[in-house]
């Protein structure tokens, strides 16, 4: 860039991923002037399926994106959990239980819908190839803007939506609690012979589990969660584990054996990052963090992008209401912590290999058929359409899943 750009805005956002883009669109609709800086020169293809929870779809509806989001995604109306030997442990009908649906699509296509809508707002400016280098501060050390590789943006509020390695968070000096999860989630997109049923499937075996999510255009996203030891062994094989991946996925999904056998190379399989991260605080005077910059979760629940979208919506609402910035964190942190707690447990439980533990896990999932109230509440919370349970409600949930007759004690609506 030949000449430095020095801009002014109401809000400066670092990162044009799903969280940053959603926030920019929501703020622009509220009439605020927004500048969003994205360090990538272009958005490269990202071969990743993304599951949009019902709450995310509600938010996109509010933003006027309902038709476009549905055009690039595929409905998920049911969720099934079973075992590799064919036993169905749980079947949840989202439309029947929650009067809602989930949808699955390719990450970049969903992001493109939000960015295309943002481009129609003259009070929003997206600058690509803009690497954030630091923060601007006033005499009282309050954050008043961002510096970047091509200039600066002065703004009363700076938002770090720049991912797990957030530059904004690091410059702010906000400490984080972080650790990688044990185990390796592997993901691959396959082409089907016909449209997939509108359902997600999760299948358990001893030490491993697999998931199926439908995609548009007769595609599906498959996941295989293996132990860290298995993944290390796979990498040492001549084909880097491709034949093992195909063998195991075909065992989990025998109806998809033809599509699985057509996976050409291990380079087409992604090792999904699996990290726990929690920033000690998400707001300081003049700045806020959202999405992976503030928290990252286990990928097994498909929550990462959904948490960022809900963060963005909540932050925009807090600003529109004129409330203190800390209210945003107060509203969001309890739900995020609940999802992180559940995800951490699930990541371990899904790869149990000891027979007594496997039997206990399967029995609890089997009990959900009788514990309908507890199961409905659990799914509504993870779908984002209900607040997290309090301590008493959590105890009731656990009791109902262990002893289904106690399900009558679980509150319902």
């Amino acid at each position: 860039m030949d000449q430095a750009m020095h801009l002014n805005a109401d809000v400066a956002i670092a990162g044009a991923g799903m969280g940053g883009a959603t926030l920019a669109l929501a703020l622009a609709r509220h009439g605020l002037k927004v500048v969003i800086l994205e360090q990538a020169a272009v958005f490269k293809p990202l071969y990743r399926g993304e599951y949009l929870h019902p709450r995310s779809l509600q938010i996109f509806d509010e933003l006027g994106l309902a038709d476009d989001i549905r055009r690039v995604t595929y409905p998920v109306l049911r969720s099934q959990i079973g075992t590799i030997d064919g036993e169905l442990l749980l079947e949840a009908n989202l439309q029947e239980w929650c009067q809602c649906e989930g949808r699955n699509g390719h990450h970049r296509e969903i992001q493109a819908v939000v960015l295309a809508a943002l481009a129609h707002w003259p009070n929003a400016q997206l600058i690509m190839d803009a690497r954030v280098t630091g923060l601007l501060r006033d005499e009282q050390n309050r954050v008043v803007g961002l510096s970047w590789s091509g200039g600066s943006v002065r703004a009363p509020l700076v938002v770090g939506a720049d991912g797990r390695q957030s530059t904004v968070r690091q410059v702010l000096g906000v400490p984080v609690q972080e650790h990688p999860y044990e185990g390796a989630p592997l993901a691959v997109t396959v082409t089907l012979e016909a449209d997939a049923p509108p359902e997600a499937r999760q299948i358990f075996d001893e030490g491993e589990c697999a998931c199926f999510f439908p995609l548009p255009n007769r595609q599906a996203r498959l996941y295989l969660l293996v132990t860290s030891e298995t993944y290390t062994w796979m990498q040492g094989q001549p084909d880097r584990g491709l034949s093992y991946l195909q063998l195991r996925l075909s065992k989990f999904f025998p109806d998809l054996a033809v599509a699985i056998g057509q996976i050409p190379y291990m380079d087409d399989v992604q090792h999904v990052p699996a990290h726990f991260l929690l920033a000690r605080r998400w707001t300081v005077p003049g700045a806020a963090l959202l999405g992976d910059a503030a928290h990252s979760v286990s990928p097994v629940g498909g929550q990462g992008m959904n948490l960022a979208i809900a963060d963005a919506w909540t932050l925009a609402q807090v600003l529109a209401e004129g409330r203190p910035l800390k209210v945003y964190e107060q509203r969001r942190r309890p739900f995020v912590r609940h999802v992180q707690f559940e995800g951490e447990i699930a990541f371990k439980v899904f790869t149990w290999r000891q027979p007594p533990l496997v039997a206990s896990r399967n029995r609890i999932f089997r009990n959900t058929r009788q514990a309908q109230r507890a199961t409905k509440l659990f799914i509504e919370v993870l779908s984002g359409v209900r607040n997290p349970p309090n301590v008493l409600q959590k105890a009731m949930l656990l009791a109902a899943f262990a002893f289904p007759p106690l399900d009558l004690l679980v509150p319902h609506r």
Side-chain angles (χ1 to χ4, degrees):
M1 187 170 295
D2 297 330
Q3 188 173 0
M5 297 175 61
H6 299 289
L7 307 172
N8 293 290
D10 295 311
V11 181
I13 303 171
M18 286 303 306
T22 302
L23 175 64
L25 179 59
L27 294 177
R29 289 168 60 89
H30 284 304
L32 297 179
K33 184 176 180 181
V34 183
V35 173
I36 182 167
L37 305 175
E38 169 56 46
Q39 74 171 7
V42 295
F43 289 113
K44 297 179 181 179
L46 185 62
Y47 300 106
R48 190 166 76 196
E50 293 286 6
Y51 178 59
L52 288 170
H53 284 280
R55 178 57 185 148
S56 295
L57 293 173
Q58 291 175 354
I59 291 171
F60 284 144
D61 286 353
E62 295 268 2
L63 291 172
L65 303 179
D67 291 341
D68 288 332
I69 289 294
R70 283 168 174 77
R71 176 176 51 80
V72 301
T73 56
Y74 198 85
V76 179
L77 308 180
R78 299 181 299 274
S79 179
Q80 296 182 340
I81 295 177
T83 66
I84 199 167
D85 58 8
E87 181 184 4
L88 180 63
L89 300 175
L90 166 67
E91 182 170 34
N93 188 314
L94 291 176
Q95 287 186 317
E96 179 182 324
W97 287 11
C98 309
Q99 291 76 54
C100 59
E101 67 175 8
R103 297 190 74 89
N104 204 53
H106 292 288
H107 184 102
R108 286 294 186 229
E109 293 184 2
I110 298 170
Q111 180 192 23
V113 167
V114 182
L115 291 176
L118 183 65
H120 290 292
W121 291 87
N123 53 329
Q125 182 177 4
L126 169 62
I127 304 176
M128 303 293 292
D129 197 16
R131 180 175 56 86
V132 172
T133 57
L135 300 173
L136 307 179
R137 296 181 182 270
D138 62 14
E139 295 80 4
Q140 287 75 43
N141 204 38
R142 179 187 173 91
V143 176
V144 294
L146 284 172
S147 61
W148 58 288
S149 50
S152 64
V153 183
R154 297 190 68 86
L157 177 62
V158 166
V159 178
D162 47 345
R164 190 169 61 88
Q165 304 295 336
S166 170
T167 298
V168 172
R169 188 191 67 234
Q170 293 177 32
V171 175
L172 286 172
V174 175
V176 297
Q177 177 187 357
E178 182 179 17
H179 62 79
Y181 288 103
E182 289 296 323
L186 306 175
V188 63
T189 300
V190 297
T191 300
L192 309 177
E193 297 177 347
D195 288 335
E199 63 189 24
R201 286 187 278 164
Q202 188 166 34
I203 311 295
F204 293 137
D205 193 14
E206 294 181 5
E208 294 180 352
C209 77
C211 301
F212 165 94
F213 284 93
L215 286 168
N217 303 317
R218 294 185 175 179
Q219 291 186 318
R221 191 72 170 168
L222 304 182
Y223 295 84
L224 179 67
L225 177 58
V226 301
T227 64
S228 299
E229 294 79 8
T230 297
Y231 182 60
T232 299
W233 172 83
M234 290 173 65
Q235 290 180 300
Q237 300 306 298
D239 62 356
R240 295 164 52 205
L242 177 62
S243 57
Y244 180 82
L245 176 92
Q246 292 174 318
L247 174 65
R248 295 301 293 151
L249 285 177
S250 295
K251 291 287 187 181
F252 282 105
F253 305 112
D255 55 319
L256 304 178
V258 173
I260 292 167
Q262 293 174 347
I263 302 170
Y265 307 106
M266 202 63 184
D267 287 341
D268 296 296
V269 180
Q270 290 81 50
H271 179 197
V272 182
H275 284 82
F276 170 93
L277 180 146
L278 183 65
R280 183 170 297 177
R281 59 184 185 277
W282 302 354
T283 64
V284 300
L289 303 171
L290 65 77
D292 283 354
H295 49 74
S296 62
V297 299
S298 160
V300 297
Q303 287 280 2
M305 183 174 73
N306 294 280
L307 292 180
I309 292 168
D311 284 353
W313 180 255
T314 302
L315 179 55
Q317 295 301 111
V318 167
L319 295 176
E321 294 166 4
R323 293 180 177 272
L325 199 56
K326 65 181 180 180
V327 174
Y328 150 67
E329 183 173 353
Q330 292 170 351
R331 290 181 180 178
R332 288 296 299 153
R333 186 178 278 264
F335 183 78
V336 169
R337 290 298 292 127
H338 175 77
V339 169
Q340 286 185 320
F341 175 76
E342 295 292 340
E344 189 125 16
I345 293 175
F347 209 87
K348 296 175 181 177
V349 167
F350 290 174
T351 55
W352 274 349
R353 60 173 67 243
Q354 299 86 349
L357 294 178
V358 170
S360 297
R361 176 195 65 197
N362 293 351
R363 187 187 75 244
I364 289 174
F365 276 102
R366 197 177 294 116
N367 286 349
T368 59
R369 295 181 181 182
Q370 287 75 46
Q372 292 282 292
R373 289 187 178 185
T375 304
K376 182 175 183 292
L377 188 153
F378 185 80
I379 291 175
E380 286 179 339
V381 171
L382 290 185
S383 297
V385 297
R386 185 165 180 159
N387 290 329
N390 57 36
V391 175
L392 178 59
Q393 289 172 333
K394 285 183 179 180
M396 290 180 179
L397 285 174
L398 292 174
F401 289 143
F403 305 101
L406 296 178
D407 188 58
L408 293 174
L409 299 178
V410 176
H412 71 288
R413 58 180 181 180

